[in-house]
Amino acid sequence: MMNTFKRKSKLSPLTAVLSTALLLGVSGAYAQAGGEPAKPGGPTTSPSSAEAKYEGAPYAVDPSTMHQSSNPKAPPMTEAEFTRARQIYFERCAGCHGVLRKGATGKALTPDLTVGKGTEYLKVFIAYGSPAGMPNWLTSGEMDEKTVDLMARYIQHDAPTPPEFSLEDMEKSRKEYVPVAQRPKKKMNNYNINNIMSVTLRDSGEVALIDGDTKQIINIVKTGYAVHISRLSASGRYLYVIGRDARLNLIDLWMEKPDNVAEIKVGLEARSVETSKFKGWEDKVAIAGTYWPPQFVLMDGDTLKPRKIVGTRGMDVNNEYHPEPRVAAIVASHQKPEFLVNAKETGKIWMVDYTDLKNLKTTQIDTAKFLHDGGFDSTRRYFLTAANASDKIVVVDTKTSKLEAIVDVGKTPHPGRGANFKHPKFGPVWATSGLGDERIDIIGTDPAKNKQHAWKVVQTLKGQGGGSLFIKTHPKSTNLWVDTALNPDPKISQSVAVFDIRDLSKPPQVIDIAACANLKDDGAKRVVQPEYNQKGDEVWFSVWSAKNKESAVVVVDDKTRTCKTAIKDPKLITPTGKFNVWNTQHDVY
């Protein structure tokens, strides 16, 4: 397994050898990393037999403090440990493996699969990760050995089922800090709003609004935990950000100092938000999808007042019932007053007509499992999205509201929004990288003038390795940037590959972005998500270390591929995703 087992560990050589099969057969997941090592309680004793080694060591604690598990084979945990592990799982693991641990981007982690592996076996899986996208939690410094042990025991217990979340629950949580009537009637600041970057500060529960022109921090805005995406209203005035804790914040960029004007909690775990973009409906309707409960909610765009909840539970594309079809990517159609909503586990894309919320009309399109992220082609007619468990890209024609194609690609595609450019041979194309291998697949997207290449992989490039989360270019650029943030090899996770679009036969240039940051400590320094500025002449990267380590945002000159500056500030805690206002507003990628 590369050189990962050379790092310090108390895990036995036998377990290390056996872990090879586990990592190859069970991994392939990713979960956003970063954060302080946990400090679970409960004294332990060392395993004294083969049974103890693989089934879990006894715990010398008062039986009255123990967690009462319905699974008699699960290793013992105190209630305090179980509570702590449940929180860690929510923060680090649920995004890939599911709240109920039934799997999606990551493999299922239910007791029928984990108990047989045993605690020591699972500890290796958690500690060292894999090139297929599972983070190396121990060797990267995000978890200590006690936390790894805690999580290895926790995933052998039955997953607790969280409560539901109603329209009434949402309305009770809603806060309108600045009523619409009291908001500015015009822009009250001198910022170039189009070039503002909304930067997720993952573990501090904030976003940093950074002036793309001056590289100065405008404001640090309190949000939900681990903001997953930032989205712009059609007018470009309102910024919507949603945390993994399902807290949705509405930020008014017209204010003298842009800040929150409203917020709502739409569930217990979430990833996606979008607003209406069709002509005549700009800024009127917002939508947020949740991982738990499995549903989406439609709201007033300017106040976040919830109007309609739609559950996604039901039959999947194989006609089997699924209790947890989480809502992944949501995009707003430019062709009709519709939202496209990915129901992850069922493999169905919902087309939601938002013109009449009381008499809601929806169309479900059968595709493939498990639907995740995606974006539009350059014409903004076709939606391309990853069905990453099936190793496919799904294409939907938003003009006809029908499935256009399903394309086979590399292992566990993870395009973000993807990358559009004009290929010198095949015309307009869209590209995706992935978590599972080094492949970068380029798909033809022009059925009008290049029909013979449309919805086919026209070229495959070789990147640095698995663990890629994002791929990016810009209409004014000739570069194609690919990160590998979740690869367990630090040389790979701390650098990016950049290809010359004019000649894709050439190998990529590898740039050590972490070195550009010149950070003072030994944090993980994962380099994640290239994001262009409005002009397309700069690419911004997050250099993402743990919460108690120094991080940075590095700005690279796109033409020369050289580092221009590193934005460093104690307030930039665990920066990850970045979203340029203009590019996000207009679906430029």
Side-chain angles (χ1 to χ4, degrees), residues 238-372:
Y238 289 117
L239 175 69
Y240 299 77
V241 297
I242 192 162
R244 296 198 169 194
D245 56 0
R247 178 178 168 185
L248 171 59
N249 289 78
L250 180 65
I251 299 168
D252 188 350
L253 298 178
W254 280 12
M255 295 172 68
E256 184 174 351
K257 186 176 184 180
D259 208 336
N260 284 316
V261 292
E263 75 169 57
I264 189 172
K265 190 170 175 60
V266 295
L268 300 181
E269 187 184 1
R271 294 295 188 281
S272 51
V273 64
E274 184 59 286
T275 62
S276 51
K277 292 182 177 178
F278 193 69
K279 187 175 181 180
W281 288 90
E282 297 92 340
D283 297 17
K284 290 187 177 180
V285 183
I287 182 173
T290 48
Y291 269 25
W292 191 271
Q295 61 192 30
F296 57 89
V297 58
L298 296 142
M299 300 163 281
D300 292 342
D302 55 358
T303 65
L304 304 182
K305 184 174 181 60
R307 296 295 184 182
K308 186 86 168 185
I309 291 178
V310 180
T312 56
R313 290 181 175 98
M315 309 306 287
D316 66 15
V317 292
N318 298 322
N319 292 315
E320 297 176 353
Y321 178 78
H322 200 289
E324 190 191 0
R326 297 172 291 168
V327 176
I330 302 176
V331 296
S333 173
H334 296 272
Q335 308 294 322
K336 297 179 180 180
E338 288 183 335
F339 293 120
L340 285 80
V341 178
N342 280 356
K344 199 178 186 81
E345 281 75 9
T346 56
K348 296 187 178 186
I349 296 176
W350 293 55
M351 310 290 287
V352 181
D353 182 334
Y354 51 73
T355 58
D356 184 353
L357 301 189
K358 288 187 177 180
N359 302 285
L360 193 70
K361 295 178 182 179
T362 65
T363 300
Q364 293 185 43
I365 301 175
D366 287 358
T367 64
K369 300 189 297 186
F370 294 121
L371 295 169
H372 197 59

Side-chain angles (χ1 to χ4, degrees), residues 176-186 237-238 250 252 255 261-262 301-304:
E176 201 168 341
Y177 298 116
V178 183
V180 174
Q182 298 176 22
R183 296 177 195 171
K185 305 303 181 185
K186 62 180 180 179
R237 173 179 181 170
Y238 289 117
L250 180 65
D252 188 350
M255 295 172 68
V261 292
D302 55 358
T303 65
L304 304 182

